[in-house]
Amino acid sequence: GQNIDQPTEMTATEGAIVQINCTYQTSGFNGLFWYQQHAGEAPTFLSYNVLDGLEEKGRFSSFLSRSKGYSYLLLKELQMKDSASYLCAAMDSNYQLIWGAGTKLIIKP
Amino acid sequence: GAVVSQHPSWVICKSGTSVKIECRSLDFQATTMFWYRQFPKQSLMLMATSNEGSKATYEQGVEKDKFLINHASLTLSTLTVTSAHPEDSSFYICSARGSLTFMPTQETQYFGPGTRLLVL
């Protein structure tokens, strides 16, 4: 079956770095997406990886290892506004997104 | 960047009434639109996938006669919750997938802001 695993909740300190891991199993693979969702709001697109390696975009970076079925989202210089849920989603061979349950990130001052 | 709008953002209605939610892609043509439902503190649940001009594909457990989806054009999809009941109260979110090259990938999904439905 198809499955996405990511931690339910993580806590980090303002100014620090946090890495949110995601492992996936899908029928075929057409890329790995990360979305950010603040409480009460819809998700917003953060990143997309289809090739192995690290993609950096400002304070956020996303990494993919296709052979390991593994991705992570790295958030640097954490700010209070980064408190949100982070959703990992893998695209299968039918171009359907398979969603993880999300990781709630709590930032403490 | 790509924008998806949703209207209305809030709906409060009486039990038994029908509610229509519109989802529009504002600066790209959405070949596929998705409708999700999210209950408090739970993950997104895909309800249905619709392609322009064809019938929607519903996920298991979602009643197609209750949740009517119309994808009439490449920029508009509507979800109608018929005879809404209190258990239908939820956060309904649409997303659109386009085919324009300015997107990070042609298959990226962009989300609308969501519609909160409260059925009394």
Side-chain angles (χ1 to χ4, degrees), chain B residues 14-88:
Chain B
K14 293 182 179 180
S15 182
T17 59
S18 293
V19 176
K20 180 186 278 190
I21 303 169
E22 290 188 353
C23 177
R24 293 181 185 272
S25 58
L26 298 183
D27 53 1
F28 66 99
Q29 293 185 323
T31 51
T32 306
M33 285 188 170
F34 305 85
W35 286 95
Y36 292 86
R37 182 166 53 180
Q38 188 175 38
F39 293 103
K41 298 184 180 181
Q42 294 188 21
S43 61
L44 293 170
M45 290 174 51
L46 180 64
M47 299 175 66
T49 302
S50 73
N51 292 295
E52 185 264 339
S54 62
K55 290 184 178 180
T57 301
Y58 290 80
E59 296 299 301
Q60 192 172 8
V62 178
E63 300 173 58
K64 62 178 68 176
D65 294 330
K66 181 171 183 61
F67 299 99
L68 302 178
I69 292 173
N70 186 343
H71 193 160
S73 75
L74 285 171
T75 59
L76 174 64
S77 176
T78 60
L79 168 68
T80 302
V81 183
T82 61
S83 187
H85 289 94
E87 59 266 28
D88 298 324

Side-chain angles (χ1 to χ4, degrees), chain A residues 33 35 37 39-45 48 87 91 94-97 99-102, chain B residues 34 36 38 43-44 46 49 91 93 97 104-105 107-114 116:
Chain A
F33 294 81
Y35 287 81
Q37 186 178 25
E41 298 180 10
T44 55
F45 171 82
Y48 169 73
L87 309 176
M91 182 167 279
N94 294 319
Y95 295 96
Q96 298 298 319
L97 280 180
W99 292 89
Chain B
F34 305 85
Y36 292 86
Q38 188 175 38
S43 61
L44 293 170
L46 180 64
T49 302
F91 188 38
I93 312 170
R97 190 165 74 198
T105 167
E107 307 302 330
T108 299
Q109 284 188 33
Y110 289 91
F111 286 85
R116 293 206 174 279

